[in-house]
Amino acid sequence: MLKPGIHQSQSSKTGLFLLHKPFINGNGTAWLPIWSKPSFRYTHTNIHTGSITSNIKAIASTATEKSIRVKAVVTVKPTVRGFLSNLGIERGLDDIKDLLGKTLLLELVSTELDSTTGLEKDTIQGYAHKARSENGGVKYETDFEVPIDFGEVGAVLVENEHHSEMFVEDIEIDGLPRGPVKVTCRSWVHSKFDSPVKRVFFTNKSYLPSQTPSALRRLRKEDLKNLRGNRQGERKKFERIYDYDVYNDIGDPDKSPELKRPVFGGKDHPYPRRCRTGRPRCDTDPLSEKRTNRFYVPRDECFSEIKQLTFSAKTMYSVLKVLVPSLGMVIGDKNLGFPYFTAIDSLFTEGVNLVSEENQEGFLTAIMPRLVKSITETGGDVLRFETPETMNRDKFFWFRDEEFARQTLAGLNPYSIRLVTEWPLKSQLDPAIYGPPESAITTEMIEEEIGGLMSVDKAIKQKKLFILDYHDLLLPFVSKVRQIEGTTLYGSRALFFLTKDGTLRPLAIELTRPPMDGKPQWKQAFKPSWHSTDFWLWRLAKAHVLAHDSGYHQLVSHWLRTHCVTEPYVIATNRQLSVMHPIYALLHPHFRYTLEINALAREALINADGVIETAFTPRKYAMEICSAAYDIEWRFDQQSLPADLITRGMAVEDPAAPHGLRLTIEDYPFANDGLVLWDAIQKWVTDYINHYYSDPSLVESDQELQAWWTEIRTVGHADKKDEPWWPDLKTTKDLIDIITTIVWVTSGHHAAVNFGQYAFAGYFPNRPTIARTNMPTEDPSEEEWKTFLKKPERALLQCFPSQLQATRVMAVLDILSNHSPDEEYLGEKMEPSWGEDPVIKAAFERFHERLKELDRIVDERNADNSLKNRLGAGVVPYELLKPFSQPGVTGKGVPYSISI
């Protein structure tokens, strides 16, 4: 179990050791410092990063008649930039430390107090020496002489004597009376030359605060205190401080006034909080933080250095920092569109020749072989995209209205479709500012489209009408976005009808422009049509709606509702729940790498002039729309899958139905598979929590747990701290509901909106990220209208993303959709701490079996001819919530955490 415990000692005395050769000074002799065996008492010393004060005496390990010999083996993993690859003078010093057997200083901490004094017992100290390399790790060993009455080992203090950090995998202690002890670390241990404080690693056993062994209680509390930091100064790379800040580093006003952006978080732009970095403020804007090359995240949140080169975050960084600039050099005109659809197709057959710096030749091919291929004849690189599975099955899938509708239920963004419950459709915005609120989609229009099958009133009563509604969210931004060259915006609605075979059929699209530039409100409804002019207008209107849906998916369904809102959960968990806490142990795998990938997003995806701003419709107002969605729409109590479905009218509670819900659309692949996954997660969480909180009163009396939930609500989501909908945390049921929701968001929700990105948006006409031109019917000149009538295909291609926008986004989506070879899937492997308890181990095994059953259920459903939203000619089966996957772009697999 990992977490930064810090323990400080007084400095040991330093002796000098004479050498004949290695490091020669002016007189031809070499001197190296060597530390004598310490025998000291820890003192109450304040350290600026936080320390664990102690009065434990550390005694060197010496044999006595009343002691036993105990062996400790530490496994250290080699790293890309860590101590094993350090070839400078410090490496030489570290090699000598290894030869002298003084690489790691270990101290064993007892769980028991001294029966005579009532104080913590002396720790037992020993230096670990480098013993051997084995199974990809380096083993360090030491022997201890442990008094018979020492008691159980509850923790190990570690000091790294090297000049470089080490990644400590685990510590195994053998020879103790009660059997071997395994301490899972999986953590970076900083050099004592970076900070004199020590690390503490607790054993794998979990304890509620009230059940913590007496001799570990102070360590537990002070460990947490240290993790919180003191909000002073800029964070250093080796630190593991978790703290909060607003999003004040999206812009870069010092680089250019055009790159200034608002602060997100606060009254003007409500937003969740991010991890504090402490960087200085900008020279030109005191509200903004400088964007240095390093975006700090606590050290143990950055595991990419020990993972394979194909780790997605590292590949993503290469795409953003090397590939994207290269594309900019190749495609000189950033506004150049595609002249023909065959030019789009050529991205998958011929590709784009890349410009590489001399020292970068072959780099992209090595790190992203799926995207970049070497040209044998010239030695250069070509960016050639793999054909998405959707296009591979049906080249014209994107053109069909049936597929447009189907993807609202079984596509990349299944979170927006909702039931129409009121008619006529009407805007809730101020008509004095935005114009008449009535929709252009009329009763007559809809009844004509459904062919007299039923009236609109009857369709609503029978729950037959559904909508994608971005009208009121986007309309306030239309006039601002339209001031930017190369993009446009409307408020939009798309209406669908549920047919008797369970599929949706598009009925109408409405696009609205508010009063602006001296012009009145403009709105128009478009319908599917056989007439050529109306047919192409429908295609163009659909391109606008799809661009809006793509932006909402990326900014809200994906970034906001998974990545962004989870960051406060990660921070609060590390600040308020000890690594010994069972809820920490339960949540920890669901938070791996999230802070790191979020920092990368702030660096190159959601930042000013980043991928989102340059290639999506709202451009520089993208994050403001995201903030508006958080303010208007986000509620924690609606983030569980059942609550989300009920809120959108896609389900109603029904105790007699499977999962306690009756779906409004029976063949809703995301919901059907998602509810099976939700139930499996909920049962696992219920078993886990009921084991540790057998007495319901333990929930309210758990001070760490209550502080955790309070901090999430009042600090991590400070702009919503006074909302009445936050759940109480008083009972085990409350806790089960909260934890199940968090686990769902980080696993099932994220998988559903992430790993299908290349399949559904890799061929961008299916999901364009931007609509660059107005509708031809909006105040057209005579010449513009004639041009549209003469060449409507050109109008659609001009509306689509430019070549630079499309290729950049396609490259990013390919990486985002990729599973690395070492992906950690939900329920696949057991955490070490879970295996320590036979009850939890059995519960996890049941969880694993349920997930295997879901895998089988998905296959059965995808073979069922009656489920037309899952199966059909050229239709990609819905597999996004299949729990397990092979590496690569597979369109399935549910990882534990938001790691890409």
Side-chain angles (χ1 to χ4, degrees):
M1 302 176 77
L2 68 119
K3 243 201 194 182
I6 300 184
H7 219 91
Q8 181 173 8
S9 68
Q10 293 177 337
S11 299
S12 305
K13 293 182 180 179
T14 303
L16 293 174
F17 183 55
L18 183 63
L19 294 179
H20 290 292
K21 295 247 183 187
F23 301 97
I24 311 297
N25 69 13
N27 61 10
T29 56
W31 298 89
L32 275 179
I34 176 172
W35 285 261
S36 61
K37 278 190 177 180
S39 178
F40 48 74
R41 181 179 296 273
Y42 290 101
T43 57
H44 293 269
T45 306
N46 291 322
I47 300 173
H48 97 108
T49 55
S51 65
I52 296 177
T53 57
S54 176
N55 58 4
I56 303 178
K57 223 190 305 187
I59 61 173
S61 181
T62 56
T64 70
E65 293 181 0
K66 295 183 179 180
S67 65
I68 55 174
R69 181 170 290 275
V70 172
K71 177 183 285 292
V73 179
V74 184
T75 302
V76 175
K77 289 287 187 181
T79 65
V80 175
R81 294 199 302 265
F83 77 105
L84 292 178
S85 62
N86 185 345
L87 300 178
I89 187 171
E90 291 179 350
R91 172 61 188 272
L93 294 170
D94 292 345
D95 284 345
I96 292 171
K97 284 286 183 66
D98 288 343
L99 289 172
L100 296 172
K102 294 198 169 186
T103 303
L104 290 167
L105 175 62
L106 306 182
E107 296 179 40
L108 306 183
V109 180
S110 174
T111 60
E112 299 176 4
L113 298 174
D114 188 295
S115 59
T116 303
T117 65
L119 302 175
E120 295 166 3
K121 292 182 178 180
D122 297 341
T123 62
I124 309 299
Q125 180 190 92
Y127 279 101
H129 63 276
K130 187 175 180 179
R132 62 191 180 279
S133 295
E134 184 181 288
N135 298 326
V138 180
K139 303 291 185 179
Y140 290 81
E141 296 181 355
T142 189
D143 291 326
F144 297 95
E145 293 294 333
V146 179
I148 292 293
D149 61 351
F150 186 71
E152 280 190 71
V153 173
V156 181
L157 303 179
V158 179
E159 182 177 73
N160 175 9
E161 305 294 315
H162 274 195
H163 287 75
S164 301
E165 63 184 356
M166 295 182 178
F167 187 82
V168 179
E169 179 73 16
D170 56 49
I171 303 171
E172 294 189 52
I173 306 168
D174 201 10
L176 293 166
R178 300 186 186 181
V181 171
K182 178 100 175 256
V183 181
T184 302
C185 306
R186 295 177 183 170
S187 179
W188 295 95
V189 177
H190 63 266
S191 166
K192 76 174 188 180
F193 300 101
D194 284 329
S195 174
V197 297
K198 294 184 181 179
R199 291 289 310 283
V200 60
F201 293 102
F202 297 103
T203 58
N204 291 350
K205 189 173 182 180
S206 294
Y207 298 97
L208 295 177
S210 61
Q211 298 165 352
T212 308
S214 300
L216 300 179
R217 289 181 179 177
R218 182 190 52 77
L219 287 176
R220 178 174 181 146
K221 289 180 180 179
E222 296 195 13
D223 181 18
L224 282 173
K225 182 180 179 182
N226 174 74
L227 281 166
R228 298 171 193 142
N230 57 12
R231 296 194 63 80
Q232 300 300 311
E234 184 173 356
R235 297 271 65 88
K236 298 179 178 63
K237 178 184 176 182
F238 68 86
E239 291 181 327
R240 329 210 5 251
I241 305 298
Y242 295 80
D243 203 353
Y244 299 92
D245 207 343
V246 292
Y247 280 73
N248 59 357
D249 62 347
I250 300 301
D252 195 356
D254 285 353
K255 184 176 181 180
S256 168
E258 293 297 315
L259 298 180
K260 182 179 179 180
R261 296 293 180 269
V263 173
F264 296 99
K267 182 180 178 181
D268 292 337
H269 299 286
Y271 217 59
R273 299 305 189 256
R274 64 167 175 89
C275 187
R276 179 185 177 274
T277 65
R279 292 173 295 189
R281 297 302 175 95
C282 291
D283 299 328
T284 57
D285 179 16
L287 296 179
S288 297
E289 193 173 80
K290 284 183 179 291
R291 289 176 58 85
T292 59
N293 289 331
R294 186 178 66 83
F295 278 54
Y296 165 83
V297 294
R299 190 65 185 100
D300 277 343
E301 306 298 331
C302 310
F303 284 102
S304 57
E305 288 183 28
I306 66 161
K307 295 175 77 69
Q308 299 183 34
L309 194 61
T310 51
F311 178 54
S312 299
K314 201 173 240 354
T315 311
M316 171 64 79
Y317 191 88
S318 302
V319 167
L320 296 173
K321 294 297 185 180
V322 182
L323 179 60
V324 167
S326 179
L327 286 169
M329 289 186 282
V330 174
I331 307 171
D333 184 356
K334 65 179 182 180
N335 294 316
L336 181 65
F338 290 88
Y340 310 103
F341 277 94
T342 52
I344 300 174
D345 295 343
S346 72
L347 294 173
F348 306 97
T349 55
E350 300 172 19
V352 180
N353 291 328
L354 298 175
V355 176
S356 299
E357 301 291 337
E358 284 187 26
N359 61 346
Q360 291 179 348
E361 287 185 6
F363 169 74
L364 290 174
T365 307
I367 201 166
M368 52 188 84
R370 176 181 153 88
L371 278 176
V372 180
K373 283 80 177 176
S374 292
I375 305 174
T376 306
E377 295 80 8
T378 63
D381 291 334
V382 61
L383 173 66
R384 186 165 60 243
F385 294 95
E386 298 287 330
T387 304
E389 183 62 18
T390 44
M391 187 184 179
N392 194 42
R393 288 176 177 243
D394 179 0
K395 184 177 180 179
F396 302 105
F397 79 104
W398 67 278
F399 214 59
R400 295 188 291 109
D401 287 344
E402 299 81 9
E403 182 65 8
F404 166 49
R406 190 190 75 86
Q407 287 182 26
T408 65
L409 303 172
L412 188 53
N413 184 29
Y415 272 100
S416 286
I417 190 76
R418 60 177 59 239
L419 180 69
V420 175
T421 57
E422 295 181 357
W423 194 268
L425 300 175
K426 192 174 182 180
S427 171
Q428 301 301 309
L429 298 174
D430 186 351
I433 300 173
Y434 300 104
E438 292 78 18
S439 172
I441 300 176
T442 64
T443 300
E444 294 75 22
M445 180 186 296
I446 298 307
E447 291 180 349
E448 180 182 338
E449 280 300 306
I450 59 180
L453 291 175
M454 62 183 69
S455 67
V456 169
D457 286 342
K458 186 175 181 181
I460 289 177
K461 288 178 183 177
Q462 293 187 8
K463 298 184 178 182
K464 297 289 187 181
L465 292 184
F466 296 83
I467 192 169
L468 290 180
D469 193 350
Y470 301 125
H471 186 277
D472 285 7
L473 178 65
L474 297 181
L475 202 63
F477 293 91
V478 169
S479 61
K480 291 191 286 188
V481 169
R482 286 193 173 205
Q483 295 173 23
I484 303 171
E485 181 184 359
T487 189
T488 190
L489 186 63
Y490 295 97
S492 69
R493 298 184 178 103
L495 203 64
F496 303 86
F497 179 74
L498 181 63
T499 66
K500 62 182 180 180
D501 64 2
T503 61
L504 291 176
R505 182 164 69 86
L507 297 177
I509 289 172
E510 177 184 14
L511 300 176
T512 304
R513 180 200 70 197
M516 57 178 288
D517 300 332
K519 298 178 181 178
Q521 181 196 69
W522 177 91
K523 67 177 69 167
Q524 186 172 349
F526 303 88
K527 303 181 298 179
S529 175
W530 295 106
H531 184 269
S532 60
T533 301
D534 291 338
F535 168 87
W536 279 103
L537 288 174
W538 169 254
R539 296 299 176 200
L540 282 160
K542 195 165 72 169
H544 281 272
V545 167
L546 286 167
H548 302 163
D549 190 61
S550 293
Y552 186 89
H553 159 261
Q554 206 64 266
L555 287 165
V556 182
S557 301
H558 184 194
W559 164 255
L560 175 66
R561 292 185 62 181
T562 65
H563 288 258
C564 189
V565 301
T566 296
E567 188 144 342
Y569 308 154
V570 181
I571 298 170
T573 299
N574 283 277
R575 285 168 54 88
Q576 300 298 343
L577 298 181
S578 167
V579 68
M580 305 171 76
H581 201 293
I583 299 302
Y584 176 95
L586 177 58
L587 288 175
H588 175 67
H590 296 284
F591 295 155
R592 288 190 183 117
Y593 320 132
T594 300
L595 294 191
E596 181 183 24
I597 202 66
N598 284 5
L600 179 57
R602 301 202 322 272
E603 189 173 355
L605 283 173
I606 63 170
N607 61 302
D609 211 31
V611 172
I612 298 294
E613 281 201 4
T614 56
F616 283 72
T617 284
R619 301 292 293 272
K620 73 176 187 178
Y621 297 103
M623 284 291 284
E624 290 188 39
I625 290 176
C626 186
S627 169
Y630 176 70
D631 184 32
I632 298 167
E633 299 177 2
W634 190 85
R635 296 173 47 151
F636 182 89
D637 64 329
Q638 293 178 357
Q639 300 311 299
S640 73
L641 179 59
D644 171 80
L645 294 170
I646 291 169
T647 299
R648 292 188 284 120
M650 303 303 290
V652 293
E653 291 188 58
D654 182 352
H659 320 293
L661 291 180
R662 186 174 73 255
L663 293 177
T664 310
I665 300 176
E666 291 183 13
D667 183 14
Y668 186 179
F670 160 70
N672 284 308
D673 296 355
L675 286 170
V676 179
L677 180 58
W678 169 270
D679 277 2
I681 293 170
Q682 188 177 57
K683 288 172 183 174
W684 153 240
V685 171
T686 299
D687 289 345
Y688 188 99
I689 287 174
N690 283 340
H691 176 62
Y692 285 103
Y693 293 90
S694 54
D695 181 349
S697 66
L698 290 172
V699 172
E700 271 200 281
S701 63
D702 187 334
Q703 294 180 343
E704 286 184 12
L705 189 68
Q706 294 298 327
W708 168 79
W709 185 233
T710 298
E711 187 167 287
I712 286 173
R713 292 182 292 109
T714 63
V715 184
H717 289 273
D719 299 328
K720 289 181 174 283
K721 64 181 180 181
D722 296 322
E723 296 287 356
W725 40 253
W726 284 104
D728 291 326
L729 181 51
K730 296 180 179 179
T731 67
T732 50
K733 183 183 182 305
D734 295 338
L735 182 56
I736 289 166
D737 290 345
I738 290 168
I739 298 298
T740 304
T741 296
I742 292 174
V743 169
W744 164 257
V745 167
T746 61
S747 56
H749 181 148
H750 180 258
V753 298
N754 184 76
F755 292 104
Q757 292 195 81
Y758 192 73
F760 288 105
Y763 186 72
F764 70 83
N766 183 56
R767 291 185 65 78
T769 58
I770 188 171
R772 297 190 295 155
T773 58
N774 293 341
M775 290 294 295
T777 52
E778 184 194 339
D779 305 329
S781 67
E782 186 175 344
E783 187 63 31
E784 289 171 339
W785 183 250
K786 284 182 179 179
T787 301
F788 164 69
L789 292 177
K790 185 177 181 180
K791 200 71 174 176
E793 179 184 328
R794 182 177 296 174
L796 183 59
L797 287 166
Q798 288 175 341
C799 186
F800 280 160
S802 70
Q803 293 186 33
L804 185 58
Q805 289 168 332
T807 50
R808 280 178 169 176
V809 171
M810 288 166 67
V812 171
L813 295 185
D814 185 274
I815 302 303
L816 288 176
S817 304
N818 189 69
H819 289 296
S820 65
D822 43 9
E823 189 79 88
E824 297 171 1
Y825 295 100
L826 182 69
E828 187 175 42
K829 293 181 181 178
M830 190 181 307
E831 288 290 291
S833 62
W834 302 344
E836 292 282 315
D837 189 311
V839 174
I840 299 302
K841 182 179 180 181
F844 178 83
E845 289 169 350
R846 292 193 296 272
F847 179 44
H848 178 75
E849 290 302 314
R850 292 186 188 108
L851 295 178
K852 287 170 63 177
E853 176 66 10
L854 171 57
D855 203 88
R856 185 191 62 77
I857 289 171
V858 171
D859 287 340
E860 283 186 358
R861 288 173 172 172
N862 286 333
D864 187 340
N865 285 306
S866 69
L867 301 178
K868 298 185 182 300
N869 291 320
R870 307 186 78 114
L871 183 64
V875 171
V876 173
Y878 189 78
E879 296 185 319
L880 287 171
L881 293 176
K882 287 194 77 170
F884 311 117
S885 173
Q886 303 79 34
V889 179
T890 64
K892 57 186 174 184
V894 181
Y896 271 110
S897 65
I898 303 165
S899 59
I900 190 64

